[in-house]
């Protein structure tokens, strides 16, 4: 493996001074840092919570904005600073480390969060260098770290003397793929995963990485039998989707405030996820007896769509979820639909075999949805995949054993990594119990979905998360 920048979250060596991206300190009592700058104050607090408590920014930030009544331009600025600094954290840490007299894991978490916030402004925004440095130093003091003011000031002033491209030129790894990963603020192992999955189209890697850092739009799903996509689009001022007959796109806004969502007639769901749930109901099955199964149902988005389609077809769905909390979310999502939720392990659920249609939306690395979790790329590790693959294979084997002869199994992941996608499917095919059908007819006109019989979606090609699904028929 070539040299260059590495994140410890990827299980690889990194420059001596770069802090571990997945570092978690013991949670401390949160303080509200006040400098009469609500946007930067909120951004700093979220960065600190993510780094010290393992919080999810997409959950913490909206609540903080509502709690502090931050709206309009301040809310937009807080969002840009927070998500931008988290997405580019590996690059920011490399630049800070190159200018710090201390290793990053020796810097106080509040100071490091402020340095990341200031460095992001200097390298990625049009904020004036003076404003970026001055507000960061004041945040450091307001966070109770007055002794570190000079330290922070010196680092940021040095960083501000060079442009982002100049810093890239100094810190860029020598390997071409590693350099592309660094330029687009991804750990090298994730870029290599995407490169392998793209196959013959590996020249698209830059576009794939760029799309992975773009802010995703909101996708809504209209519940079949209740509301059409056309009606939903008119009701919310959105645009009908390109592929799913139930999809509606929104450019912005809080979907939870929309009447159709509040009334249970629509929900938030990526269009790719909709296509997978729809495929469960659409694949031809002779003499369908109406016994359908969602073997990995939490938190319930696909189960709800499958349940709505089952109601139209007069079928019933068993939904399996081992976590009690997530099983409760499934029950909430499928309320009023012909779905029975079982809080059991999908590898041995104790259900009677003979299902006509089974979905295995397997637990996965989530590499296909990184754009929705800005901090996730720096907290995931490649070793996670090695731990997940045996579970994915076991769940697919369980699904096949629960399916009747002639029935179908849809295997899906929200990851493009071939170890979690084709690797698992090919392993099942090698056992001889199932045959693979062409999945492309169930992608509703989507093209460029890969060379295999399965479907691999990509944000840069299709506007969806990088989701995968394969269609298997039991012999």
């Amino acid at each position: 493996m070539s040299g260059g920048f590495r994140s410890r979250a990827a299980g690889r060596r990194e420059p001596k001074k770069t802090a571990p991206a997945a570092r978690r300190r013991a949670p401390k009592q949160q303080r509200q840092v006040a400098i009469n700058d609500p946007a930067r104050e909120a951004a700093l607090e979220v960065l600190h919570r993510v780094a010290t408590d393992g919080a999810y920014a997409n959950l913490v930030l909206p609540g903080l904005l509502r709690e502090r009544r931050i709206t309009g331009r301040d809310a937009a600025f807080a969002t840009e600073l927070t998500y931008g600094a988290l997405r580019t954290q590996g690059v920011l840490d490399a630049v800070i480390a190159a200018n710090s007299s201390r290793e990053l894991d020796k810097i106080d978490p509040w100071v490091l969060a402020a340095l990341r916030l200031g460095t992001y402004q200097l390298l990625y925004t049009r904020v004036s260098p003076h404003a970026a440095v001055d507000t960061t130093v004041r945040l450091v003091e307001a966070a109770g770290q007055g002794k570190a003011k000079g330290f922070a000031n010196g680092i940021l002033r040095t960083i501000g003397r060079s442009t982002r491209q100049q810093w890239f030129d100094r810190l860029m790894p020598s390997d071409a793929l590693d350099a592309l990963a660094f330029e687009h603020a991804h750990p090298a192992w994730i870029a290599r995963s995407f490169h392998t999955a793209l196959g013959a189209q590996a020249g698209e890697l830059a576009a794939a990485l760029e799309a992975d850092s773009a802010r995703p739009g909101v996708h809504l799903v209209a519940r079949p039998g209740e509301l059409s996509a056309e009606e939903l689009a008119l009701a919310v001022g959105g645009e009908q989707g390109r592929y799913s007959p139930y999809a509606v796109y929104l450019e912005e806004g809080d979907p939870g405030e929309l009447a159709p969502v509040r009334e249970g007639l629509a929900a938030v769901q990526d269009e790719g996820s909709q296509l997978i749930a729809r495929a469960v109901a659409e694949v031809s099955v002779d003499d369908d007896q109406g016994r359908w199964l969602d073997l990995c149902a939490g938190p319930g988005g696909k189960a709800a769509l499958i349940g709505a389609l089952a109601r139209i077809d007069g079928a019933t769905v068993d939904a399996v979820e081992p976590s009690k909390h997530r099983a409760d979310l499934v029950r909430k999502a499928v309320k009023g639909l012909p779905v029975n939720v079982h809080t059991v392990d999908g590898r041995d659920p104790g259900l009677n075999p003979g299902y006509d249609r089974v979905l295995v939306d397997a637990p996965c690395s989530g590499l296909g949805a990184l754009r929705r979790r800005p901090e996730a790329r720096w907290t995931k590790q490649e070793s996670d995949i090695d731990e997940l693959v045996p579970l994915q294979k076991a769940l697919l084997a369980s699904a096949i054993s629960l399916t009747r002869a002639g029935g179908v199994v849809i295997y899906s992941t929200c990851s493009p990594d071939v170890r979690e996608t084709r690797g698992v499917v090919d392993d099942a095919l090698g056992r001889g119990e199932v045959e693979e059908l062409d999945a492309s007819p169930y992608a509703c006109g989507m093209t460029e979905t890969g060379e295999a019989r399965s479907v691999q979606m990509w944000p840069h090609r299709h506007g969806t998360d990088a989701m995968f699904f394969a269609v298997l028929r039991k012999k």
Side-chain angles (χ1 to χ4, degrees):
M1 183 63 66
S2 61
F5 174 77
R6 296 288 189 274
S7 165
R8 278 187 198 154
R12 306 232 176 122
R13 253 170 53 185
E14 61 186 349
K16 182 177 179 182
K17 294 183 180 179
T18 304
R23 171 173 50 82
R24 292 291 180 264
R25 298 177 184 266
K28 297 180 181 180
Q29 183 177 1
Q30 293 293 339
R31 62 169 68 95
Q32 181 171 347
V33 178
I35 62 168
N36 196 29
D37 190 332
R40 289 184 173 91
E41 293 163 10
L44 177 68
E45 184 164 332
V46 177
L47 295 186
H48 184 261
R49 288 191 190 182
V50 168
T52 59
D53 299 343
Y56 295 159
N58 62 338
L59 300 180
V60 174
L61 180 61
L64 207 57
L65 296 179
R66 287 193 298 268
E67 175 189 325
R68 299 183 184 176
R69 299 181 180 180
I70 302 174
T71 60
R73 296 178 64 180
D74 280 342
F77 189 43
T79 301
E80 160 64 14
L81 293 180
T82 302
Y83 292 166
L86 289 170
R87 285 193 192 97
T88 58
Q89 180 174 302
V91 175
L92 303 180
D93 282 359
V95 174
I96 295 168
N99 293 280
S100 174
S101 59
R102 308 176 200 169
E103 293 188 9
L104 299 197
D105 57 1
K106 303 298 184 184
I107 299 175
D108 177 88
W110 281 107
V111 177
L112 182 56
L115 285 171
R116 287 168 173 163
L117 188 61
T119 303
Y120 178 76
Q121 293 173 74
L122 289 170
L123 300 186
Y124 288 93
T125 75
R126 296 181 180 179
V127 173
S128 73
H130 173 77
V133 174
D134 178 66
T135 54
T136 300
V137 171
R138 289 196 290 128
L139 285 170
V140 167
E141 182 177 30
Q145 301 298 319
K147 293 182 179 180
K149 287 171 55 181
F151 173 73
N153 182 70
I155 289 176
L156 292 175
R157 288 192 179 279
T158 302
I159 292 173
R161 294 190 187 106
S162 301
T163 66
R164 180 174 68 191
Q165 188 57 54
Q166 287 170 330
W167 283 115
F168 279 3
D169 292 342
R170 294 174 199 172
L171 301 175
M172 194 74 76
S174 57
D175 177 84
L177 194 148
D178 289 4
L180 199 61
F182 186 82
E183 180 182 354
H184 291 280
H186 280 72
W189 75 268
I190 293 180
R192 293 187 183 280
S193 170
F194 285 14
H195 183 266
T196 301
L198 285 165
Q201 283 71 46
E204 296 179 44
L205 180 58
L209 295 174
E210 183 177 356
D212 201 43
S213 292
R215 186 176 179 182
V218 176
H219 291 185
L220 300 179
V221 58
R223 176 166 287 184
E226 299 279 358
L227 192 67
S228 70
E230 181 181 10
E231 291 168 332
L232 178 59
L234 289 172
V236 302
E239 177 188 354
Q240 287 183 247
R242 294 168 59 194
Y243 306 110
S244 167
Y246 320 118
V248 169
Y249 304 154
L250 284 181
E251 289 189 5
E252 57 185 2
D254 182 357
E257 298 297 318
L258 300 174
V261 175
R262 293 199 310 269
E263 296 166 9
L265 303 177
V268 178
Q269 186 175 40
D270 184 81
E271 188 173 20
S273 181
Q274 297 176 38
L275 293 178
I276 292 168
R278 178 182 179 274
V280 175
E282 288 294 316
V283 179
S284 175
V285 173
D286 292 336
D287 194 25
D288 188 342
Q289 298 298 304
R291 288 192 68 205
W292 301 1
L293 173 64
D294 184 349
L295 197 62
C296 309
K302 292 185 181 69
L305 181 49
I306 294 170
L309 295 170
R311 181 172 59 183
I312 294 171
D313 286 358
T316 58
V317 182
D318 286 310
V320 169
E321 171 53 51
S323 162
K324 183 180 182 304
H325 169 67
R326 286 169 64 87
D328 289 340
L329 294 177
V330 177
R331 290 187 180 93
K332 182 179 179 181
V334 302
K335 186 178 181 180
L337 297 172
V339 180
N340 302 308
V341 182
H342 307 265
T343 311
V344 293
D345 190 326
R347 289 169 291 186
D348 185 18
L351 300 172
N352 292 326
Y355 287 95
D356 302 287
R357 305 171 184 275
V358 180
L359 172 64
V360 186
D361 185 36
C364 68
S365 63
L367 296 187
L370 293 177
R371 59 190 188 146
R372 301 189 185 278
R373 286 267 315 279
E375 72 279 2
R377 67 190 64 183
W378 305 112
T379 60
K380 293 182 181 297
Q381 303 182 43
E382 188 167 17
S383 59
D384 295 341
I385 295 177
D386 296 330
E387 296 172 5
L388 284 164
V389 167
L391 172 61
Q392 293 160 351
K393 291 180 177 179
L395 287 166
L396 181 52
S398 175
I400 293 170
S401 71
L402 290 165
T403 306
R404 69 168 175 86
V408 296
V409 178
I410 309 296
Y411 174 79
S412 68
T413 66
C414 189
S415 169
D417 191 285
V418 294
R419 290 166 288 187
E420 302 183 88
T421 58
R422 289 306 317 176
V424 174
V425 171
D426 290 342
D427 177 78
L429 292 171
R431 299 177 187 275
E433 296 180 79
V434 293
E435 60 182 349
E436 185 172 10
L437 307 181
D438 185 4
S440 60
Y442 309 104
C444 295
M446 188 178 279
T447 59
E448 297 183 281
T449 56
E451 298 174 357
R453 306 198 83 188
S454 49
V455 166
Q456 178 63 65
M457 309 177 209
W458 290 97
H460 71 287
R461 292 182 186 172
H462 311 112
T464 67
D465 289 344
M467 306 196 76
F468 167 93
F469 77 96
V471 180
L472 308 174
R473 188 183 302 279
K474 189 167 182 178
K475 297 179 182 178

